[in-house]
Amino acid sequence: VVLRRTGRQGLAEAAMLHALTLDRSNYAAMNNLASLYQRQGKTEQSLRYQRRIRAHRQKNPWFHHAAAEQALEAGEVTDAIASLKRALKLAPGKGEFYLLLQVAHREIGEIDKSEQYGELADTALAEAETYGGERMRIVSPSHDGPTVRSLLTH
């Protein structure tokens, strides 16, 4: 981006293409190339990277989580639930996804389902706070296990 902004488009393009040779799924490089090619009027090349970006997003569970958050904000609960189910297919067992499903089902009055997702969230988040066999104080600061900081400094 700095290279492009300083008028060094050729260098910027080369750097982004090199980044993609190192990591074919480098989202930032694809996005920057699509933008660069669009600015240069290279529509076909820009569209090729835009298609890759869309495909990449569909494989990213956090993209679906973000879409679910937006759908909930807009009152589109059914869309939010569908997005969260896609996210869970891509990353099973993520507590954050279950938490949002809990909220979504409560929004539409499905209290039993909401409570089920709440229990799944509690279990997943409790498992996630374990790192290398050590319990972390992520959810509850009163937990007597070591903190992430204390493990990183030893």
Side-chain angles (χ1 to χ4, degrees):
V1 175
V2 172
L3 292 171
R4 180 183 50 80
R5 288 186 178 167
T6 58
R8 297 181 177 115
Q9 276 109 5
L11 218 57
E13 179 183 19
M16 290 179 273
L17 289 170
H18 179 67
L20 286 173
T21 64
L22 298 174
D23 176 6
R24 287 184 41 80
S25 64
N26 185 322
Y27 179 78
M30 286 188 278
N31 199 42
N32 288 333
L33 277 168
S35 177
L36 175 68
Y37 290 144
Q38 186 68 36
R39 282 186 192 40
Q40 292 176 339
K42 298 178 180 178
T43 306
E44 190 55 42
Q45 287 170 296
S46 177
L47 289 173
R48 185 174 64 230
Y49 282 104
Q50 288 175 32
R51 284 190 295 273
R52 283 181 67 185
I53 290 165
R54 277 192 299 277
H56 183 271
R57 286 179 181 158
Q58 293 307 309
K59 297 175 190 173
N60 182 337
W62 295 102
F63 170 78
H64 296 289
H65 180 266
E69 286 180 324
Q70 290 176 345
L72 275 177
E73 288 292 322
E76 298 164 356
V77 180
T78 305
D79 291 342
I81 291 170
S83 290
L84 289 164
K85 289 188 177 187
R86 284 190 294 274
L88 279 168
K89 282 184 182 178
L90 295 168
K94 288 286 184 192
E96 297 88 345
F97 303 162
Y98 291 132
L99 276 175
L100 215 48
L101 277 166
Q102 178 186 17
V103 170
H105 283 285
R106 186 168 304 274
E107 288 281 321
I108 56 176
E110 294 179 346
I111 304 305
D112 289 342
K113 275 189 178 181
S114 176
E115 289 174 358
Q116 288 172 354
Y117 282 116
E119 289 172 16
L120 288 169
D122 289 344
T123 300
L125 291 171
E127 290 173 5
E129 70 175 16
T130 301
Y131 177 78
E134 296 285 343
R135 301 248 331 141
M136 300 289 108
R137 268 190 278 168
I138 294 172
V139 177
S140 172
S142 64
H143 187 279
D144 60 359
T147 64
V148 172
R149 177 174 293 150
S150 71
L151 285 178
L152 293 176
T153 58
H154 286 75

